[in-house]
Amino acid sequence: MNELSMAMAYSIKFSLRSPSDTRRFVSSPCFSQNPNPQSLLLNLLPSHSSSSFPKKILYSSARRRSFATVKSRMATGEKPISEDRMLVFVPPHPLIKHWVSVLRNEQTPCPIFRNAMAELGRILVYEASRDWLPTVVGEIQTPMDVASVEFIDPREPVAVVPILRAGLALAEHAPSILPATKTYHLGISRDEETLQPTVYLNKLPEKFPEGSRVFVVDPMLATGGTVVAALNLIKERGPENNQIKVISAVAAPPALQKLSEKFPGLHVYTGIIDPTVNDKGFIIPGLGDAGDRSFGT
């Protein structure tokens, strides 16, 4: 069963859009320029929706603010009009498929598994930060002439919140991709019988700075209990749904359904969407326990 037919078989109703239909993807060298890419941008519709056809996403122009001799602008450039829906992005990069395949293999040894998780996280964070980071523009002197330049604005707060343990591996390269970030660790364990989450470590700030952009890194979105608990803690500290992006290696419909219901406007970036979760809360076919396989314990 291919990705499209699998997605349509889910109990959740998805509206499917090819990334080539949105300018945010077409302009990227990291995406295939094939006019019919195989991966999907999935727009979770409310469960009562009867439409099976994709909706056209419209965009508005970027906002700009002036600061002395430089200009700072939101790199959102093009903003979806339907902010009341959660969006799930499955970027169509062949390296994403490669690293997911390495992670799935039960014969992959721990060091290679952890490296594959880190590399997958690098690509997903890159894609999730597209058109989302604020920049400053100005001029600098090169060895040859004056050039117009654009940098990430270090005055605008960007936070990474890995969910321990497995989130550490997926978020390993995030600081090297995102300039001027802060990392806040959040430890959440899941009871093997009840599948209910318990917070055992909370290094979140009492209040996130106004305007913060927060990347929540949780490799496995299975039942959704862990990521929902994390998002509730983060939202208590200021950020709105549209200021948060979730990064995962593998996602499943139960978690996506919960996120769609509880956090409209949230964006999720994942390597792949699997069809189901078993009675022990593991994604099927999935890749096993991401924490155990990352750290060998």
Side-chain angles (χ1 to χ4, degrees):
M1 182 180 292
N2 61 31
E3 288 179 88
L4 178 57
S5 58
M6 183 184 297
M8 296 304 291
Y10 294 158
S11 58
I12 304 173
K13 294 183 179 179
F14 294 111
S15 173
L16 306 179
R17 295 295 289 172
S18 163
S20 63
D21 291 331
T22 63
R23 283 179 287 170
R24 75 169 69 186
F25 288 98
V26 170
S27 62
S28 170
C30 257
F31 277 93
S32 167
Q33 297 304 310
N34 187 325
N36 296 299
Q38 296 301 309
S39 288
L40 308 171
L41 180 158
L42 296 91
N43 181 4
L44 273 71
L45 297 176
S47 57
H48 62 269
S49 172
S50 60
S51 173
S52 60
F53 296 96
K55 306 295 185 182
K56 182 67 175 178
I57 300 177
L58 303 178
Y59 294 87
S60 59
S61 60
R63 296 176 294 170
R64 293 180 180 268
R65 296 177 294 176
S66 294
F67 293 97
T69 59
V70 298
K71 289 192 238 178
S72 175
R73 64 180 176 82
M74 295 293 295
T76 48
E78 304 169 0
K79 187 177 181 181
I81 232 173
S82 54
E83 294 181 348
D84 59 334
R85 293 177 180 172
M86 190 191 81
L87 295 179
V88 180
F89 296 82
V90 182
H93 198 301
L95 282 174
I96 290 179
K97 300 179 191 296
H98 171 81
W99 293 122
V100 168
S101 299
V102 173
L103 292 170
R104 285 201 192 278
N105 189 352
E106 68 175 356
Q107 300 301 319
T108 299
C110 172
I112 296 177
F113 184 94
R114 187 167 62 249
N115 179 72
M117 187 69 78
E119 291 301 325
L120 177 61
R122 183 202 300 272
I123 302 170
L124 291 173
V125 170
Y126 173 85
E127 296 296 347
S129 60
R130 176 194 311 280
D131 299 335
W132 205 46
L133 300 176
T135 60
V136 290
V137 296
E139 292 184 339
I140 60 171
Q141 179 69 50
T142 78
M144 304 301 295
D145 201 353
V146 174
S148 297
V149 294
E150 190 167 357
F151 295 99
I152 301 299
D153 190 343
R155 299 166 296 184
E156 298 283 351
V158 177
V160 176
V161 181
I163 310 301
L164 309 186
R165 289 180 304 163
L168 290 174
L170 192 61
E172 181 175 339
H173 295 312
S176 66
I177 299 170
L178 304 169
T181 59
K182 290 186 177 181
T183 301
Y184 301 96
H185 295 95
L186 188 57
I188 302 179
S189 61
R190 187 175 69 174
D191 188 283
E192 294 183 1
E193 294 184 1
T194 66
L195 303 183
Q196 294 303 306
T198 300
V199 178
Y200 64 86
L201 177 70
N202 185 348
K203 290 296 184 179
L204 297 176
E206 292 186 7
K207 192 77 172 178
F208 282 94
E210 185 177 354
S212 289
R213 295 159 188 78
V214 183
F215 291 90
V216 178
V217 184
D218 187 4
M220 310 300 290
L221 303 182
T223 64
T226 298
V227 70
V228 167
L231 290 173
N232 284 334
L233 289 171
I234 290 168
K235 283 180 60 64
E236 289 173 0
R237 290 158 171 80
E240 299 295 333
N241 294 343
N242 60 7
Q243 295 173 252
I244 304 171
K245 293 192 177 184
V246 175
I247 309 294
S248 76
V250 184
L256 297 179
Q257 182 69 58
K258 284 183 182 178
L259 292 174
S260 178
E261 293 170 354
K262 295 177 178 296
F263 306 101
L266 182 74
H267 287 187
V268 176
Y269 284 75
T270 186
I272 197 165
I273 299 176
D274 277 353
T276 189
V277 172
N278 67 15
D279 57 1
K280 294 184 178 180
F282 283 93
I283 297 175
I284 304 297
L287 47 84
D289 189 304
D292 289 353
R293 297 192 66 195
S294 290
F295 301 104
T297 57

